[in-house]
Amino acid sequence: RGKRACSKSSDSYLSLSKTDAQRDTLFRQMRSGEKKVLIGSTDKCGTGVNVQTHLVAMHHVDCPWKPSSIEQREGRGIRQGNENKEIAVYRYVTKGTFDAYSWSLVENKQRFISQIMTSRAVSRSCEDIDEATLSYAEIKAVATGNPLIREKMEVDSDVQKLKMLKASYDNEHYGFQDAFLTKYPKLIAAAEERLAGIREDITARDKAVLAEPDFSIKVEGFTYSERKDGGAALLSARNKCGFNHAQKVGEYKGFGVLVERNVIGYDYLVLRGRTDYKVDMSLSDVGNILKLEHRFNDIQDLIPDLEKKLEGYRMNMEQAKAEFEKPFAHEKELKEKLKRQSEINALLNVEEDEESLDVLEPEKELEQDGRGQLLH
């Protein structure tokens, strides 16, 4: 069991290596061309064996349990340092033996590994197996004498691929359903509510400005007509506020003034009417007041962006609904493959039953006792 590597040397003789020293000598002779043939197991002639200099062919006598073992075997010759431009790789299989099952296991393992190593999004799609796995699958098919079994392998692979595509479709299907029934309706409702609140605040703001055109702000129960004094009062009130929640500290032209602090050092002033308007809070007393006034005077500037966002929500909801209504593109093919898979499984079971009956066919050599048991 293992592999055999051939080199270009004209002279060869049998040499058994058991110790590290003997192995080093043998490998050196392979590299120099003194030895022509090297036979060893995967463990003995795998990782760390540098005999590639003159190798022209490698022979896989059996199938290992891991794709990485095949990679390590072939890496002994297909690597830098080999003086040959080409190297032949042979894989030996026997019909009607365990070889087909062994290659099938390696194929399935390589299929999974390829999806992970190539970063393929298996939740969205499952592409066909890669070049290395196709090689294993071909060997598996060659090792199987019954053509029906070869067809079963192909059909099973197709069914597995289509089922994964169907599972991906179902996941996306439910996602689209949730999007147009729950997610976007909630976003649209919230945007419409905020839009209505902004328009109400604009009306309230205009009335307040007409009633009180001069600057005035109330902080912690005191009214300030100077921006510097009002700003200093806001800074003082901020130091008394807790973290991670907005706390009301005053009023500005009928709108509430709140301070929102967090532990990472970013503080905000919140102007609250029908809805909230947030600005960064700095250490400048006059600067904070100016930011508050600009936000108050420019409330209407928020409407265009909000209307655009609302339009996008509605468009996305319609697209999600359209995608939800699309059927699975491979539904017919999946049904046909499943039907054929069932037919092949049934035929194989019949053949197995017939073979088992053929074994017992020469009844002349058997006798039957009174209890119905067959005796030699």
Side-chain angles (χ1 to χ4, degrees):
R1 292 170 61 88
K3 68 176 183 183
R4 183 177 64 182
C6 299
S7 70
K8 284 184 174 179
S9 174
S10 58
D11 298 324
S12 64
Y13 54 88
L14 183 64
S15 177
L16 185 63
S17 300
K18 295 183 179 181
T19 67
D20 291 341
Q22 291 174 336
R23 279 166 47 87
D24 292 341
T25 300
L26 178 60
F27 295 160
R28 185 172 60 255
Q29 291 173 334
M30 285 291 297
R31 289 192 296 271
S32 66
E34 181 180 348
K35 292 292 185 180
K36 182 177 181 181
V37 177
L38 174 65
I39 301 175
S41 65
T42 304
D43 293 337
K44 295 294 184 180
C45 292
T47 305
V49 176
N50 299 316
V51 295
Q52 68 273 11
T53 308
H54 301 293
L55 289 186
V56 295
M58 293 184 294
H59 302 255
H60 294 274
V61 180
D62 66 352
C63 176
W65 287 104
K66 298 182 296 183
S68 60
S69 297
I70 297 179
E71 183 179 357
Q72 284 298 328
R73 289 181 182 183
E74 297 180 354
R76 298 316 96 212
I78 306 176
R79 62 185 302 172
Q80 292 182 345
N82 193 327
E83 297 178 354
N84 301 301
K85 294 182 179 180
E86 295 182 358
I87 183 168
V89 178
Y90 299 90
R91 293 168 179 167
Y92 299 92
V93 294
T94 305
K95 292 182 178 180
T97 67
F98 199 68
D99 287 348
Y101 180 73
S102 297
W103 285 107
S104 177
L105 288 179
V106 173
E107 175 194 7
N108 291 332
K109 293 174 184 177
Q110 182 62 41
R111 187 193 303 271
F112 171 76
I113 294 169
S114 297
Q115 291 174 342
I116 301 300
M117 298 302 293
T118 57
S119 301
R120 293 174 182 166
V122 295
S123 61
R124 294 185 59 85
S125 64
C126 179
E127 298 298 331
D128 203 356
I129 49 184
D130 65 1
E131 182 180 355
T133 311
L134 282 174
S135 177
Y136 305 153
E138 290 168 356
I139 297 171
K140 178 185 66 177
V142 172
T144 307
N146 190 336
L148 201 59
I149 295 180
R150 290 200 297 271
E151 183 182 357
K152 172 177 169 57
M153 292 176 180
E154 295 174 358
V155 171
D156 287 346
S157 177
D158 291 340
V159 168
Q160 182 181 13
K161 174 183 176 181
L162 290 171
K163 282 185 175 180
M164 293 187 69
L165 289 175
K166 183 62 163 61
S168 176
Y169 166 82
D170 289 339
N171 289 335
E172 292 181 345
H173 192 66
Y174 297 137
F176 289 134
Q177 184 182 39
D178 178 71
F180 84 85
L181 288 180
T182 305
K183 176 183 176 181
Y184 287 113
K186 286 183 178 179
L187 291 173
I188 290 172
E192 289 177 338
E193 182 180 0
R194 179 167 172 78
L195 191 59
I198 291 175
R199 289 183 173 130
E200 290 183 18
D201 287 340
I202 291 174
T203 302
R205 177 200 65 185
D206 294 342
K207 290 181 180 180
V209 171
L210 288 175
E212 189 181 358
D214 297 330
F215 172 79
S216 177
I217 187 171
K218 182 184 289 187
V219 180
E220 295 185 314
F222 296 94
T223 301
Y224 301 92
S225 58
E226 295 293 333
R227 290 179 174 82
K228 185 173 181 64
D229 295 336
L234 282 178
L235 290 174
S236 177
R238 179 192 63 174
N239 298 329
K240 303 174 185 177
C241 295
F243 291 95
N244 299 324
H245 69 280
Q247 184 174 336
K248 186 175 180 180
V249 296
E251 292 182 3
Y252 178 72
K253 297 189 182 300
F255 285 69
V257 177
L258 298 86
V259 172
E260 181 181 311
R261 306 187 67 188
N262 58 57
V263 294
I264 61 175
Y266 291 98
D267 300 335
Y268 302 94
L269 281 173
V270 181
L271 193 65
R272 176 169 294 175
R274 175 72 169 76
T275 186
D276 288 353
Y277 310 92
K278 185 183 295 187
V279 296
D280 294 335
M281 191 174 188
S282 67
L283 297 178
S284 172
D285 45 17
V286 176
N288 289 326
I289 294 296
L290 292 176
K291 289 180 181 179
L292 200 64
E293 287 184 295
H294 289 158
R295 181 76 285 173
F296 181 78
N297 295 327
D298 297 337
I299 292 176
Q300 68 279 355
D301 293 345
L302 299 174
I303 292 179
D305 288 341
L306 191 55
E307 288 178 335
K308 185 176 180 181
K309 185 179 294 185
L310 187 57
E311 181 182 357
Y313 289 156
R314 288 170 177 158
M315 185 180 299
N316 291 338
M317 184 175 70
E318 292 300 322
Q319 290 177 349
K321 185 178 181 181
E323 292 294 332
F324 172 78
E325 293 174 350
K326 289 182 180 179
F328 178 51
H330 305 283
E331 187 69 37
K332 181 179 179 181
E333 183 182 2
L334 176 58
K335 289 181 179 180
E336 291 175 351
K337 294 291 184 180
L338 286 171
K339 180 180 178 182
R340 183 55 182 162
Q341 186 183 52
S342 179
E343 292 172 351
I344 293 175
N345 289 337
L347 290 172
L348 288 175
N349 288 335
V350 169
E351 288 182 359
E352 290 174 0
D353 293 341
E354 290 177 350
E355 290 176 0
S356 63
L357 290 176
D358 291 341
V359 175
L360 298 177
E361 187 176 358
E363 295 183 359
K364 294 181 181 180
E365 299 180 4
L366 304 174
E367 296 180 358
Q368 191 170 22
D369 68 358
R371 295 174 295 175
Q373 293 180 335
L374 297 176
L375 306 174
H376 285 279

